[in-house]
Amino acid sequence: MDERRGFGAALLVGEPDVVAFMVETHERMWLPVEPRTSNHSTRGEITDDLAS
């Protein structure tokens, strides 16, 4: 891949075994993840810090 243009990188994968491996890996990485809840007071504190 030519990254000299500064666009980052992308890759088109058409091999079924590689796609299946990538999907399985993605799913396994998300298994232990727990949903994150939003705490509005913390969000306000962070935005206040950014504004100063």
Side-chain angles (χ1 to χ4, degrees):
M1 287 189 286
D2 185 5
E3 294 185 34
R4 290 178 282 180
R5 296 182 185 170
F7 293 117
L11 181 65
L12 178 62
V13 178
E15 177 62 40
D17 290 336
V18 175
V19 173
F21 170 77
M22 293 170 67
V23 169
E24 182 68 23
T25 301
H26 180 268
E27 293 296 324
R28 286 179 185 241
M29 295 299 292
W30 280 101
L31 282 175
V33 177
E34 294 180 11
R36 186 171 173 184
T37 58
S38 176
N39 184 342
H40 294 288
S41 64
T42 304
R43 188 182 311 170
E45 293 169 12
I46 293 171
T47 22
D48 289 343
D49 289 345
L50 292 174
S52 6

